[in-house]
Amino acid sequence: MSEVKRIKPSLSKGTRDFLPSEVAKRNYIFDTIKTVFRKYGFEQIETPAIEKLETLTGKYGEEGDKLLFKILNSGDYLKDVPKEELTAANSQSTTKYIAEKGLRYDLTVPLARYVVQHQDDLAFPFKRFHIGPVWRADRPQKGRYQEFYQCDADVIGSNSLLNEVELILIYLKVFEELGVDVTIKFNHRAILKALADIAQMDVVKFCNTLDKADKITLNGVFEEYNKEGMPIDVQEILQSVFSHVNPHQINGFENIFHGALVFKDGRSFIHKEGHQAILDSMKIENCVRDITNEISRVKVQFDISLARGLNYYTGLIVEVKANNVQIGSLGGGGRYDNLTEMFGGQNMSGVGISFGIERIYDVMEELSLFPETISQGVKVLFVPRDSSVEEFTFQQTQTLRDAGIGAEIFLGNVKKQKQFTYAEQKNIAYIVEVGGDEMQSKKFRLRNAKTRDTETDLSIEQIIEKVK
Amino acid sequence: MSEVKRIKPSLSKGTRDFLPSEVAKRNYIFDTIKTVFRKYGFEQIETPAIEKLETLTGKYGEEGDKLLFKILNSGDYLKDVPKEELTAANSQSTTKYIAEKGLRYDLTVPLARYVVQHQDDLAFPFKRFHIGPVWRADRPQKGRYQEFYQCDADVIGSNSLLNEVELILIYLKVFEELGVDVTIKFNHRAILKALADIAQMDVVKFCNTLDKADKITLNGVFEEYNKEGMPIDVQEILQSVFSHVNPHQINGFENIFHGALVFKDGRSFIHKEGHQAILDSMKIENCVRDITNEISRVKVQFDISLARGLNYYTGLIVEVKANNVQIGSLGGGGRYDNLTEMFGGQNMSGVGISFGIERIYDVMEELSLFPETISQGVKVLFVPRDSSVEEFTFQQTQTLRDAGIGAEIFLGNVKKQKQFTYAEQKNIAYIVEVGGDEMQSKKFRLRNAKTRDTETDLSIEQIIEKVK
């Protein structure tokens, strides 16, 4: 490090440092979620940040491919690029010669790879959670980063609807523990598929438009459907679905795919999968309500206009909305069928949820939901008045640590009274100053760093008792 | 995900997946270390994986620069490369045009950047710990990965030697908790500097040769010094230092830089900084011994031949060796002076240690030091005999969870008796099978998954009591 040129330190765009107080708050969220996951039988896994580009490419659509961070090959990386590519300076076609690795874009594709690769070592149904950073070369903006955390729980290899129930219960439990008031909205992809079938539209296109209901209202959605050429009688019948039954009570939908929908020309509409999806959704909702003793009546809500962007869902879909804050969803998930297929795995059904950590953090900050003192490591700060008592003070500090209490000795400049700022910044509850008198008498004065109240004449054992 | 070509899943070389059991063991190590760090007043920080290349380049020597993973710029990254560079296919000179970001190589340079960038928001002395992955484009081999974890604790901005004492105590505590028998070797860079001054050699060159003592013995070291042209009288006097006093007892060295070393021509040798370094080291060692009540007499050991590779250390240096296993060091650290200087920060002294997580894991595996059941999330596996009792079984599972006990319902194929393999793989202690009888009577049979012992006729409340 001898000949280093001095540079003004700065971060790469879209990345963040976290101060100790921020890490403590983030850990509070992570730990709350982890504890619930573990109690429900989900086990943590890890996958590398770096994946082969062949693993990542083609899984996130054309736009996603562009947002993959690619890692330059080591050594003489240009040596295998055909001369004509270089002369043409064609970035797109050159990439495959100079980069074979990338940073993971999410935790889902790595999960698919992981399940196929390690299937012989895993217990099925495989219930795993994974918390870690992912990277996207998105344009950074408020609340959007190039490096951010995802937090997912999935069950692979079980068709039981009780998995859906369990995942909804996990959402309820986590947000209850965090003190965030949320509504969990749900819908079912096969219901949407049935509606798309009525509309004679591709389900993806149908859902992409429906997904905008939040922003442009249902009327706006139908204007778009109209522009897209949906026949007028179909529009009418769909509108009757959306308006004549409560779009938030699935019970009202029970028979719509079972003959209750009648076209003007007298045709009625039977859609077996759509009907089953409604029965399944009702079963899930009822089971959640039985378990939670009605608590969830307001918390868990059917929403016929919920579509969710990702196309790989095939069954129930869920989304978590904060009730008192204007912010995007705090989490989402659903059932999917073909996750492991892309890596040649046998077709295993999966269902999963994710927590939007960054947004949950923002909501908790905005509503001041973090506890005032988050698991402070240190309770007592010992301050030696001068160097002659340093070692003695250090021994007292150590006595507290041996008794299982976090303690620190202040080794900064005592004269400047910085110890008080220090205790405040680190949220340390008590201060004990030590000078010659204390060393002599082995009696100390315990000062509450916040209230400045003091108690005098305490032995070290009494201090241990007090702060324990 | 419709038009995806199927590929055989594999990892990028030098990277790893971790199975749930491996993550649990790694977390056991991390949690043990974190708990001790926190109790000693170290706070966790995070920095991004991605740093600007200008932050990283030039900090790790020429070899290090080659091992940095560089991230290809997004979009049309070739458009700013001068035509002639492309035509020449000169990889080295092209990099600066096409990559401006890289993956962090360690946690130390990011710490330096962090301290300078956030100095107004930090409490000094700044005691931080950081655990996270780093990336190096090294050739992978047994025990060496391209993506691996580092685990560092540092104190920035305090000259007190009690920091050194504290960090050694942390080492002792952590390895005691992990059950790993270690020796902590220490030396002082200023002692080595003084010896290099006697030898009239550059201290880095002197240390690089001395550092090989472990492998080639001290005799081998002197053969190399001889080849490097060290005068014979200097060799003699140095050999007397290394052989006539116990190289593992610093007390014997007390006066060597204070006149006790006498050349044949009668010159004696005074080296003020060297002498002070010996006094400092003795003070640190004595203080550790006072605190630990002699326990450490065998655990903490001076070693005049310890040099440590990294050149930025200026004060005490330490290294942790496992006592019963042939393996490289399990940790190391020391005091350094100019960390923040490279980012224009004021000169702040720092001292830190790191834990070699990957090697600690290997040692603990080899010596079977991991507890048999590492903080299992789930204690009881409920197994519904058929789908008619699924919901009832689910409710029992939920009752345990509500009582704070991790519980699971087995939703796989019960007929294949896979539930036993499942319980075993997930290390679940108890199994409760539920059929029609149990649903009727609400009495259950609790089976110990390992011993297969059973207790019958238990109510759910009794089960809660038993397993709590």
Side-chain angles (χ1 to χ4, degrees), chain B residues 374-424:
Chain B
I374 293 176
S375 64
Q376 282 315 306
V378 167
K379 284 248 181 80
V380 182
L381 179 68
F382 285 90
V383 182
R385 287 216 186 85
D386 56 62
S387 60
S388 71
V389 294
E390 248 183 28
E391 262 196 65
F392 172 76
T393 310
F394 190 77
Q395 280 158 6
Q396 310 316 305
T397 314
Q398 206 57 28
T399 306
L400 259 73
R401 288 170 179 163
D402 287 343
I405 297 164
E408 258 195 273
I409 173 169
F410 184 75
L411 295 172
N413 191 333
V414 181
K415 289 190 191 125
K416 292 186 181 159
Q417 299 282 313
K418 287 206 173 158
Q419 63 267 37
F420 295 106
T421 329
Y422 186 85
E424 200 181 331

Side-chain angles (χ1 to χ4, degrees), chain A residues 91-154:
Chain A
S91 296
Q92 217 185 334
S93 60
T94 302
T95 306
K96 61 177 171 296
Y97 300 106
I98 66 174
E100 60 189 27
K101 294 181 289 291
L103 295 178
R104 67 182 175 212
Y105 179 91
D106 67 7
L107 303 177
T108 305
V109 167
L111 170 63
R113 180 191 55 65
Y114 183 100
V115 168
V116 175
Q117 209 171 319
H118 304 288
Q119 51 192 313
D120 296 337
D121 300 315
L122 302 176
F124 286 95
F126 179 49
K127 296 168 78 172
R128 83 87 173 83
F129 74 91
H130 192 175
I131 299 177
V134 301
W135 292 266
R136 295 180 187 180
D138 247 324
R139 189 182 303 274
Q141 58 187 50
K142 190 180 176 317
R144 193 161 72 187
Y145 307 99
Q146 294 201 335
E147 175 173 336
F148 60 98
Y149 269 65
Q150 287 195 336
C151 169
D152 293 2
D154 289 80

Side-chain angles (χ1 to χ4, degrees), chain A residues 32 42 50 76-77 116 147 158 185 214 228 239 262-263 276 293 301 320 333 347 366 370 374 398 401:
Chain A
T32 302
F42 289 79
I50 295 178
D76 185 9
Y77 56 86
V116 175
E147 175 173 336
S158 166
K185 298 190 166 190
D214 248 16
E228 285 160 12
Q239 273 177 315
V262 183
F263 285 76
Q276 186 59 47
N293 301 319
Q301 195 174 70
V320 183
N347 194 356
E366 190 169 335
F370 286 109
I374 293 176
Q398 206 57 29
R401 288 169 178 163

Side-chain angles (χ1 to χ4, degrees), chain A residues 1 4-7 9-12 15-20 23 27 38-41 43-50 52 54-55 58-59 69-72 74 76-78 83 86-87 89-91 94-95 98 101 103 113-114 116-118 121-125 127 135 137 147 149 158 160 162-163 165-166 169 283 287 290-291 312 341-343 377-378 390-391 394-395 398 401 404-412 422 425-426, chain B residues 1 4-7 9-12 15-20 23 27 38-41 43-50 52 54-55 58-59 69-72 74 76-78 83 86-87 89-91 94-95 98 101 103 113-114 116-118 121-125 127 135 137 147 149 158 160 162-163 165-166 169 283 287 290-291 312 341-343 377-378 390-391 394-395 398 401 404-412 422 425-426:
Chain A
M1 301 210 181
V4 163
K5 81 170 175 239
R6 293 185 183 195
I7 50 164
S10 65
L11 287 161
S12 179
T15 70
R16 292 165 292 170
D17 284 331
F18 294 105
L19 293 172
V23 173
N27 282 345
R38 292 205 174 103
K39 201 188 275 183
Y40 278 72
E43 296 185 302
Q44 191 173 5
I45 68 161
E46 300 268 358
T47 69
I50 295 178
K52 287 181 173 178
E54 65 177 38
T55 299
K59 309 301 190 302
F69 279 114
K70 298 165 188 85
I71 295 169
L72 204 54
S74 298
D76 185 9
Y77 56 86
L78 286 177
K83 219 107 203 145
L86 284 181
T87 326
N90 186 335
S91 296
T94 302
T95 306
I98 66 174
K101 294 181 289 291
L103 295 178
R113 180 191 55 65
Y114 183 100
V116 175
Q117 209 171 319
H118 304 288
D121 300 315
L122 302 176
F124 286 95
K127 296 168 78 172
W135 292 266
E147 175 173 336
Y149 269 65
S158 166
S160 170
L162 287 176
N163 292 298
V165 174
E166 196 155 275
L169 292 175
K283 187 182 166 193
C287 190
D290 287 350
I291 294 279
Y312 59 75
E341 207 183 18
M342 60 178 122
F343 296 108
V378 167
E390 248 183 28
E391 263 196 66
F394 189 77
Q395 281 159 3
Q398 206 57 29
R401 288 169 178 163
I405 297 164
E408 259 194 273
I409 173 170
F410 183 75
L411 295 173
Y422 187 84
Q425 275 191 281
K426 293 185 84 167
Chain B
M1 297 213 185
V4 164
K5 80 171 178 240
R6 294 187 182 193
I7 50 166
S10 65
L11 287 161
S12 179
T15 70
R16 293 165 290 170
D17 283 331
F18 294 105
L19 293 171
V23 173
N27 282 344
R38 291 204 175 105
K39 200 189 275 182
Y40 277 72
E43 296 185 304
Q44 190 173 7
I45 69 162
E46 300 268 359
T47 69
I50 294 178
K52 287 182 173 177
E54 64 177 37
T55 298
K59 309 300 190 303
F69 278 115
K70 297 164 189 84
I71 295 168
L72 205 53
S74 298
D76 186 8
Y77 56 86
L78 287 177
K83 245 214 125 103
L86 285 179
T87 325
N90 186 335
S91 296
T94 301
T95 307
I98 66 174
K101 293 182 288 292
L103 295 177
R113 180 191 55 66
Y114 183 100
V116 175
Q117 211 172 317
H118 304 289
D121 300 315
L122 302 176
F124 285 96
K127 296 168 78 172
W135 292 267
E147 175 173 335
Y149 269 65
S158 165
S160 169
L162 287 176
N163 292 298
V165 174
E166 197 155 273
L169 292 175
K283 186 183 167 192
C287 191
D290 286 351
I291 295 279
Y312 59 75
E341 207 182 17
M342 59 178 124
F343 295 108
V378 167
E390 248 183 28
E391 262 196 65
F394 190 77
Q395 280 158 6
Q398 206 57 28
R401 288 170 179 163
I405 297 164
E408 258 195 273
I409 173 169
F410 184 75
L411 295 172
Y422 186 85
Q425 276 191 279
K426 293 186 83 166

Side-chain angles (χ1 to χ4, degrees), chain A residues 138-273:
Chain A
D138 247 324
R139 189 182 303 274
Q141 58 187 50
K142 190 180 176 317
R144 193 161 72 187
Y145 307 99
Q146 294 201 335
E147 175 173 336
F148 60 98
Y149 269 65
Q150 287 195 336
C151 169
D152 293 2
D154 289 80
V155 186
I156 311 290
S158 166
N159 290 308
S160 170
L161 296 178
L162 287 176
N163 292 298
E164 275 85 335
V165 174
E166 196 155 275
L167 290 168
I168 290 172
L169 292 175
I170 286 178
Y171 266 147
L172 289 171
K173 182 72 180 167
V174 165
F175 285 107
E176 180 196 319
E177 301 253 315
L178 293 177
V180 181
D181 187 25
V182 296
T183 300
I184 295 165
K185 298 190 166 190
F186 68 95
N187 197 357
H188 197 296
R189 268 296 165 100
I191 298 177
L192 295 170
K193 176 73 170 61
L195 293 174
D197 286 349
I198 297 177
Q200 297 170 318
M201 275 177 76
D202 171 63
V203 66
V204 174
K205 208 171 159 197
F206 180 81
C207 288
N208 282 346
T209 305
L210 188 61
D211 209 15
K212 300 179 194 163
D214 248 16
K215 286 172 196 152
I216 62 175
T217 76
L218 266 175
N219 281 339
V221 167
F222 275 97
E223 273 170 38
E224 288 213 14
Y225 283 149
N226 196 28
K227 277 186 212 150
E228 285 160 12
M230 187 186 283
I232 199 75
D233 61 331
V234 171
Q235 283 187 49
E236 274 169 16
I237 203 156
L238 279 183
Q239 273 177 315
S240 87
V241 171
F242 286 110
S243 58
H244 289 144
V245 294
N246 183 338
H248 295 308
Q249 288 199 350
I250 190 158
N251 307 33
F253 288 82
E254 186 168 351
N255 290 311
I256 60 163
F257 301 133
H258 203 60
L261 276 191
V262 183
F263 285 76
K264 275 193 177 145
D265 60 9
R267 278 181 299 143
S268 77
F269 191 81
I270 303 271
H271 196 292
K272 221 177 132 191
E273 293 81 11

